[in-house]
Amino acid sequence: MLPSGQESVVTHITQAIEELTEANPPQSVTIQLADDIDISRGDILVKNDEPQPHQEQDLTLDVCWFNEYPLHPRAKYIVRQTTKESLGIVRSINYRQNINTLEKEPGVAEIKMNDIAEITIHTAQPLAFDDYRLNRITGSVIFIDPDTNETIGAGMIKTETIWNKHNSYVI
């Protein structure tokens, strides 16, 4: 289980009143574990014998900015990934993608509405994630304005290495 790293065995899976032998996303199910472990919204169940999602606070991602107020380095936003939220700060704008020529434009000071860019962020808590190319659910984030609660951007998490696709189940 991530991010805690605790291990257990699933003893029962139920959907409404029906007992199941297995469940897959996007089913809403209740699980019972062999151990008394506190599972919270946003925690991820992962099979032991499969590659584990990354757990980091520093993430590089491609972002599309939706807001009329530009994204700046050192700006703070709420970062929502799956059902987990964390305060995040923009560490750097690595480059902006020129949508006409597809060239990378390094050295930009801000990202304006409808711009696409690669940025690096730091989150207050570690996030358990996969590369977006492997898992669109655990590999995506949205940016929320902490003052207005508006969704102001969306991002796709990038990692240096791509692992074989595996099954992560978000609680």
Side-chain angles (χ1 to χ4, degrees):
M1 184 159 351
L2 298 175
S4 71
Q6 294 178 303
E7 295 182 13
S8 188
V9 175
V10 175
T11 58
H12 292 87
I13 305 171
T14 55
Q15 186 174 36
I17 58 171
E18 182 184 352
E19 184 88 17
L20 303 175
T21 57
E22 65 178 43
N24 293 294
Q27 286 178 289
S28 293
V29 297
T30 301
I31 62 168
Q32 184 175 350
L33 301 176
D35 304 290
D36 188 18
I37 297 174
D38 183 24
I39 299 176
S40 301
R41 185 172 177 86
D43 289 350
I44 298 178
L45 299 177
V46 183
K47 293 180 180 179
N48 273 347
D49 60 345
E50 295 193 11
Q52 304 295 301
H54 300 270
Q55 287 192 86
E56 299 176 25
Q57 288 178 265
D58 295 306
L59 297 96
T60 299
L61 47 101
D62 288 330
V63 65
C64 180
W65 200 245
F66 304 154
N67 200 272
E68 59 193 32
Y69 299 106
L71 174 147
H72 294 279
R74 295 181 304 283
K76 294 179 183 174
Y77 303 104
I78 296 170
V79 178
R80 181 179 297 154
Q81 184 254 352
T82 64
T83 57
K84 193 150 195 108
E85 289 186 355
S86 178
L87 189 59
I89 186 168
V90 177
R91 292 273 191 194
S92 65
I93 300 171
N94 304 331
Y95 61 83
R96 179 177 52 216
Q97 188 85 40
N98 183 313
I99 60 170
N100 297 315
T101 66
L102 300 180
E103 293 178 5
K104 296 176 182 177
E105 300 173 341
V108 295
E110 64 183 18
I111 301 302
K112 297 179 183 171
M113 186 186 300
N114 296 326
D115 279 348
I116 297 172
E118 181 186 272
I119 66 172
T120 302
I121 63 171
H122 180 80
T123 57
Q125 293 89 25
L127 300 178
F129 62 90
D130 296 297
D131 189 292
Y132 181 83
R133 295 169 288 186
L134 289 179
N135 188 327
R136 291 174 31 179
I137 295 170
T138 61
S140 61
V141 301
I142 61 172
F143 292 88
I144 300 169
D145 184 312
D147 297 326
T148 65
N149 210 31
E150 290 179 275
T151 300
I152 54 177
M156 298 175 291
I157 301 171
K158 300 164 78 171
T159 61
E160 291 183 20
T161 55
I162 300 294
W163 302 44
N164 292 327
K165 188 170 184 174
H166 59 279
N167 297 319
S168 299
Y169 304 101
V170 178
I171 302 298

